[in-house]
Amino acid sequence: RKKMVDVGSGCGRLALYAGLTRSDWDVTGIEIGHQLHSLAVGSLQRGINEDLFRPIIDDTASADDEAQISFYNGNVLPGIDPYFQNTQADNDTVQSILSQANLLFAYSTVWETDSAQSFNPELGAMVLSSKWSQTLASTCQNGVVAVTTDRVLNPDHGWKLLDRMDVDNPSIWGSVGYISILEK
């Protein structure tokens, strides 16, 4: 089974859509905001009540014919954010979720760029800060495919840019999706 992780999953739209359309995937959304996380959990529960999804009864079991969807309220950047402090158990859970991912998505449009080189002319892209690129590279498994928006993961940490795609995003006059693979 494929495992998708949506970093910064917000109210869960992408994770829920992936669960509806990809029955052979396990999908986890990680969201730092308590209110957005609560909305995602509430939407998942409504989907369970309407028989769109099945509840996860045992975290170790996964049905072959349907997606497993879960949401976790946590911070992907352990110990870095002064406003959201993870416990060691939180860090371990997030690390475990990320380490199992085959596909990672991050709507990274507002995330910080690298302070040393915010724009890489060879890649033709703004580069995500090392705290994001390095944290994800050290946590995720080799071969994970990552899709980021408007900022590319830093190749200095093992991320190889495979493709880029211009997409409509009316809220910011368009976006670029970057598809990278981790080659440790």
Side-chain angles (χ1 to χ4, degrees):
R1 294 180 59 85
K2 295 178 183 167
K3 296 187 183 291
M4 176 189 164
V5 177
D6 182 6
V7 176
S9 58
C11 62
R13 290 186 304 178
L14 178 64
L16 294 167
Y17 177 79
L20 284 170
T21 60
R22 306 291 188 268
S23 63
D24 59 334
W25 289 12
D26 293 333
V27 183
T28 302
I30 302 174
E31 173 57 47
I32 194 170
H34 296 292
Q35 290 176 324
L36 290 171
H37 170 73
S38 293
L39 287 170
V41 170
S43 294
L44 177 58
Q45 187 58 54
R46 279 191 301 284
I48 290 170
N49 294 345
E50 295 176 18
D51 289 327
L52 297 172
F53 307 112
R54 301 232 185 248
I56 298 174
I57 297 170
D58 179 355
D59 286 341
T60 62
S62 185
D64 289 334
D65 61 342
E66 58 193 45
Q68 298 289 307
I69 305 169
S70 60
F71 292 100
Y72 188 78
N73 187 211
N75 189 352
V76 172
L77 301 173
I80 295 174
D81 190 333
Y83 302 105
F84 190 99
Q85 294 298 315
N86 284 352
T87 65
Q88 188 58 49
D90 291 330
N91 289 338
D92 292 347
T93 299
V94 169
Q95 299 278 322
S96 176
I97 292 168
L98 290 172
S99 71
Q100 297 174 44
N102 304 104
L103 176 63
L104 183 72
F105 178 82
Y107 187 82
S108 52
T109 300
V110 298
W111 293 2
E112 303 150 67
T113 57
D114 192 283
S115 59
Q117 183 182 32
S118 63
F119 183 82
N120 182 318
E122 289 177 23
L123 299 175
M126 295 177 69
V127 180
L128 277 167
S129 72
S130 288
K131 73 179 184 183
W132 285 105
S133 296
Q134 188 171 14
T135 297
L136 294 173
S138 66
T139 307
C140 293
Q141 64 182 319
N142 190 43
V144 67
V145 174
V147 179
T148 55
T149 58
D150 300 316
R151 284 148 175 71
V152 68
L153 289 158
N154 193 328
D156 293 343
H157 302 290
W159 295 101
K160 178 183 176 186
L161 180 62
L162 298 176
D163 201 1
R164 58 178 284 151
M165 179 182 297
D166 294 319
V167 294
D168 290 334
N169 186 348
S171 63
I172 60 167
W173 300 293
S175 281
V176 179
Y178 295 98
I179 303 167
S180 303
I181 190 168
L182 182 58
E183 296 181 342
K184 294 184 184 182

